[in-house]
Amino acid sequence: FEWTISNGSCPPSISQVTIQRDTPPSTANAGSDQSICSAIGGLAANIPSIGTGTWSVISGSATVDNVTNPSSTVSGLSFGNNTFRWTINNGSCASSSDDIIIIRDTPPTTSNAGSDQSICSGTTNLSANIPSIGTGTWSVISGSGVLSDVNNYNSSVSGLSPGTNIFEWTISNGTCPSSSSQITVQRDLPPSANAGSDIVVCSDIGNLSANNPAEGSGSWSVISGAAIISNSADPNSPVSNLSIGSNVFRWTTVNGSCPSISDDIELTRLSDLNKGIISNSQIICEGTNALLTITGTTAYAELQWQDSISGGVWKDIILQNNDTLLVSPSQTTHYRVKSSGNYCTSKYSEISVIDVRQKNLPGSISSNSLEVCKGNEATLKLNGHRGNIQWEESPDSFSWNSLSGNDS
């Protein structure tokens, strides 16, 4: 524009003014806010079509590598919020500004899931570290388990499966890589123990018979008595050198962290049967009795008297099971005692012979009375007698005297 002042014939006075009309700058767009886990980041503002843009740090601490570059990198970011402003200016027009916040996240606390566990229960408590930075979360990696609070470092867990259960404790914070560690919870099942039924034997050897544990392992030990266990880990181990009487063995099963379980069995070794001593052989007269006695037999033995005519074929004498036997055989008979036990081999006593002799018979004299002259002889004959004889004489049938040499 020109300003002219005139006055008559005088030369006019002229001056000019220029008015520059600036275009408003482009509207500033600093870009989207960011969350990163690094000290270095990148800005992403709009490129102004009108005017010139400039970055400035509003809060936090950082260095903008190129303040006029919309996509400048920044370094030295502080943890937390870092605010940057993108300002576009054009001449005398009002500037346009927009802010962006870059949040630099702090790396999370290093995870420590705690020590591995071996337990004998379906429930337990986990024990991870408490994160000072970030949030912890439990997850089931293998096995099974129900966590009461997945974000509680000390969460209880139930429903553990037998065997191996693996849990992972992950601590996360913003965009930073998470930190994870694992814990193994070994759930052992309680063992069972059954030493078997009590045993009675009649020798110094025997066989044990316990259960083969489905969980864990078992071992035998001698509680009382004396014996040698062939293989203490074998449920059916042989044993030897048993002492007479009671021998107690214990079958103990163990499985991991579970309490051991025990069961006892008594193996009773009976003393070997004694055959006993029977009373001596006897000679009796037919029709009379003989008392036989057996001594020295074993206390628990069952006795059975037997007889045999020839000493070859033996038969039991019914209901004769005591240590004495009263007999009245009609002929010479052999006797013995059988000692038996449920577990021991039967033993037989020596043989006692009852020799039965026939009764003596008096017979008859061939002539009841004879008359002879003095000095003469008379012959008397004894008929139908049995046994040895001795002639006797008496003058009055009251006083008798033996006749020497007259025994036939």
Side-chain angles (χ1 to χ4, degrees), residues 110-130:
T110 302
S111 170
N112 182 353
S115 302
D116 293 340
Q117 301 180 28
S118 290
I119 61 174
C120 193
S121 168
T123 62
T124 190
N125 279 83
L126 303 176
S127 184
N129 62 322
I130 302 173

Side-chain angles (χ1 to χ4, degrees), residues 40 44 129 137 139 156 162 233 272 275 332 371 386 391-392:
I40 300 174
N129 62 322
T137 304
S139 57
S156 64
D272 198 11
K275 65 181 181 180
T332 297
E371 290 184 3
R386 183 187 298 152
W391 287 89
E392 294 179 344

Side-chain angles (χ1 to χ4, degrees), residues 216-281:
S217 60
S219 62
W220 285 107
S221 57
V222 179
I223 303 303
S224 65
I228 298 174
I229 301 172
S230 176
N231 183 355
S232 62
D234 182 3
N236 301 307
S237 176
V239 291
S240 58
N241 289 355
L242 292 166
S243 58
I244 294 176
S246 176
N247 299 268
V248 178
F249 299 86
R250 178 164 295 162
W251 179 240
T252 301
T253 56
V254 295
N255 187 35
S257 59
C258 294
S260 62
I261 302 294
S262 298
D263 187 37
D264 293 349
I265 179 177
E266 182 180 26
L267 199 159
T268 301
R269 177 190 171 187
L270 300 176
S271 58
D272 198 11
L273 290 170
N274 296 324
K275 65 181 181 180
I277 300 173
I278 201 168
S279 52
N280 294 331
S281 298

Side-chain angles (χ1 to χ4, degrees), residues 364-370 379-383 391:
S364 60
I365 299 174
S366 57
S367 177
N368 289 335
S369 298
L370 291 175
T379 301
L380 299 175
K381 186 175 182 180
L382 181 64
N383 298 311
W391 287 89

